[in-house]
Amino acid sequence: MVQLFDVQYMIDSIPTIAKGIPVSLSITLVAFIFGALIGLAVALLRIYRVAGITQLAILYVSFMRGTPLVVQIFLAYYGIPLLLRVLAIHSNISQIPAIYFVYVAFSLNVGAYLSETLRSAILSVAPGQFEAAYSIGMTTPQALGKIVLPQALTMALPNIGNQFIMLLKDTSLAFIAAVPEIMGEAKIIAGRTSQFFEVYVVAALIYWAICLLCELFLSLIEHRARKHTAKGS
């Protein structure tokens, strides 16, 4: 009788596949931090309509949301070295770790999505908040930083959390750039033994466990943020 699962093999493969966890988490955190900065900048550019730059921001968002992430990874993986070679910025492109190109691709991708989330959250804050800030002598940057953005971020937290979870799962595509994250390690070990099903089940369970922990952490942040907002209102 054919055995569906080789349980012992699955258990033995966990340490090897788990080696990719730090890589997956590093991609997630780096891309999310830089993506959030990009997203905020693009959101403000679109809200305040800076001549010339706003059109570029709209084009950027449209391109990143309208093309597959896997294509964007390939563009970064092959395009950035080509650009560096043309500009003579880096003499030995092969010495640059592939994960840096992955950081760029994921940061730009999540930045486009977060820009829309942040833009809608900022616009949902009552205009009277700005007027109140101006009435007490605040500048626009001060009003944004101290009054508007805290409220906007609180409202956007659920969507931001969803983007973080999606980003974590999307890191499984980094293996196409030879980055040994969770899926990359899974493919390596599966290629050696041809026991693909067991290995991918283990990878799926690892992703699931990490996502559950992230969801718990994000829900705690959301709860504390809303509690703080309720006390301040």
Side-chain angles (χ1 to χ4, degrees):
M1 183 177 178
V2 179
Q3 187 178 9
L4 178 62
F5 284 108
D6 186 342
V7 178
Q8 187 58 50
Y9 175 76
M10 292 173 66
I11 295 172
D12 293 340
S13 68
I14 291 175
T16 301
I17 299 174
K19 291 179 183 178
I21 294 177
V23 180
S24 293
L25 292 178
S26 73
I27 296 172
T28 304
L29 294 175
V30 170
F32 191 80
I33 291 171
F34 283 98
L37 295 175
I38 294 170
L40 179 59
V42 171
L44 293 176
L45 284 172
R46 295 191 65 182
I47 290 172
Y48 288 99
R49 299 187 178 278
V50 180
I53 303 179
T54 298
Q55 285 69 27
L56 290 176
I58 294 172
L59 181 63
Y60 154 71
V61 173
S62 176
F63 179 81
M64 300 307 294
R65 296 180 70 189
T67 56
L69 177 56
V70 64
V71 174
Q72 296 166 18
I73 294 172
F74 279 129
L75 288 174
Y77 185 69
Y78 293 106
I80 294 176
L82 181 62
L83 180 63
L84 294 177
R85 193 176 294 114
V86 169
L87 297 177
I89 294 177
H90 202 288
S91 58
N92 194 344
I93 306 300
S94 61
Q95 290 183 349
I96 303 176
I99 195 169
Y100 289 111
F101 305 133
V102 172
Y103 286 154
V104 172
F106 277 83
S107 297
L108 291 174
N109 179 271
V110 75
Y113 286 94
L114 283 178
S115 71
E116 291 298 282
T117 299
L118 294 173
R119 185 169 70 96
S120 61
I122 293 171
L123 291 175
S124 67
V125 177
Q129 299 289 330
F130 275 109
E131 296 171 4
Y134 294 149
S135 69
I136 59 174
M138 283 188 177
T139 62
T140 298
Q142 289 175 328
L144 277 170
K146 295 182 178 180
I147 297 177
V148 176
L149 282 181
Q151 295 181 61
L153 289 174
T154 301
M155 290 185 286
L157 269 178
N159 288 331
I160 292 174
N162 288 337
Q163 288 293 334
F164 185 86
I165 298 296
M166 290 175 62
L167 173 61
L168 174 60
K169 292 186 292 184
D170 284 343
T171 59
S172 61
L173 294 174
F175 79 89
I176 64 175
V179 174
E181 41 67 65
I182 296 172
M183 274 301 296
E185 295 288 357
K187 281 187 69 67
I188 291 172
I189 190 173
R192 293 172 183 164
T193 62
S194 296
Q195 291 179 275
F196 293 95
F197 184 63
E198 288 94 334
V199 168
Y200 291 147
V201 168
V202 172
L205 292 175
I206 290 175
Y207 277 114
W208 187 24
I210 296 174
C211 286
L212 287 176
L213 291 174
C214 289
E215 286 175 4
L216 177 61
F217 180 69
L218 290 168
S219 65
L220 290 174
I221 292 178
E222 184 180 346
H223 176 72
R224 293 193 66 175
R226 293 196 180 280
K227 188 176 180 181
H228 178 74
T229 302
K231 286 182 178 179
S233 59

